[in-house]
Amino acid sequence: MVNYNVRIAHQHDIPFITKIYNEGIEDRIATLESKLKTEEEMLDWLKDRSGRHKVLVIEDEKNTVHGWASLNVFNSRCCYSGVVDISIYISRKMRGKGLGKLLLRSLIQTAKDEGFHKLVLSTFKTNEAGQKLYKSLGFREVGTYEKHGILDGKWIDITIM
Ligand SMILES: CC(C)(COP(=O)(O)OP(=O)(O)OC[C@H]1O[C@@H](n2cnc3c(N)ncnc32)[C@H](O)[C@@H]1OP(=O)(O)O)[C@@H](O)C(=O)NCCC(=O)NCCS
């Protein structure tokens, strides 16, 4: 049985993080982003975060990273300082094996440790795996923005949890 470890992401994880994010972009199930990211762009993304807005990775015993998750600014107004937006991506070949749940559980604890009282997220209405994962750890559906974004020329409905 392989043991997986969740830890804070470092700059040396950027090649893994970029590859995994680009798989999510290519698969057209997780994000309205359509242009693949470069490692330079993802390094800037990692460096530009506040200390509270952490990025975690999940790795195996050989230190191969199979997924990442992040705490993102929900709204910069100080009245929203207790609310945080989240993202989570597992590499294509490792999805459906329980890694997302391990990683999200750690992200929720990290958010609590950083003093956030509410986690929010946006997901494609059609992202069944994502919604099942979120619901299994206590998220609930708030509602759906219909025809909220455009991807490849088609309207996408976005569910808020
Ligand atoms: C969504 C995602 C993070 C889930 O992580 P994962 O490691 O694949 O999921 P897990 O194996 O931990 O499973 C978590 C739950 O989702 C369910 N699930 C996983 N894949 C599923 C699928 N393809 N269809 C339906 N349910 C699925 C599991 O049964 C499990 O539910 P349970 O705890 O009630 O048994 C991962 O599939 C992924 O990275 N997808 C592409 C990017 C993405 O969609 N990110 C989220 C954007 S909102």
Side-chain angles (χ1 to χ4, degrees):
M1 205 185 105
V2 181
N3 286 313
Y4 294 98
N5 175 46
V6 177
R7 61 165 172 78
I8 295 286
H10 301 297
Q11 292 189 14
H12 63 74
D13 298 312
I14 284 297
F16 285 117
I17 290 174
T18 308
K19 183 170 184 292
I20 294 166
Y21 189 32
N22 283 338
E23 289 179 355
I25 294 174
E26 283 170 351
D27 292 343
R28 300 294 199 260
I29 49 168
T31 171
L32 291 170
E33 291 283 351
S34 55
K35 192 169 156 280
L36 299 187
K37 299 287 177 186
T38 64
E39 289 182 13
E40 290 70 28
E41 286 170 322
M42 293 309 288
L43 184 59
D44 288 344
W45 166 85
L46 185 67
K47 288 201 297 200
D48 287 348
R49 316 180 74 80
S50 81
R52 291 179 82 204
H53 293 93
K54 298 204 156 44
V55 180
L56 303 182
V57 292
I58 185 163
E59 63 181 0
D60 64 21
E61 290 151 341
K62 292 179 178 162
N63 306 114
T64 301
V65 170
H66 296 293
W68 61 266
S70 59
L71 299 175
N72 315 310
V73 174
F74 166 70
N75 186 311
S76 58
R77 291 176 64 195
C78 59
C79 54
Y80 293 117
S81 63
V83 185
V84 72
D85 173 80
I86 66 164
S87 301
I88 181 164
Y89 288 82
I90 300 295
S91 72
R92 198 180 278 141
K93 67 176 193 301
M94 295 300 284
R95 292 176 197 156
K97 298 178 192 291
L99 272 64
K101 204 159 184 173
L102 278 175
L103 183 55
L104 184 57
R105 201 174 264 131
S106 294
L107 192 74
I108 292 169
Q109 187 56 51
T110 303
K112 284 182 185 164
D113 294 346
E114 292 298 334
F116 294 109
H117 75 278
K118 186 194 282 186
L119 284 75
V120 298
L121 65 93
S122 308
T123 173
F124 285 19
K125 194 181 177 191
T126 48
N127 189 342
E128 199 184 329
Q131 288 181 39
K132 218 165 158 200
L133 167 67
Y134 301 133
K135 282 180 184 161
S136 77
L137 289 179
F139 287 79
R140 69 176 174 83
E141 192 175 317
V142 176
T144 297
Y145 287 117
E146 290 175 4
K147 295 188 179 174
H148 201 54
I150 295 176
L151 183 60
D152 301 330
K154 288 192 195 125
W155 284 110
I156 304 290
D157 293 347
I158 299 292
T159 297
I160 306 302
M161 302 182 78

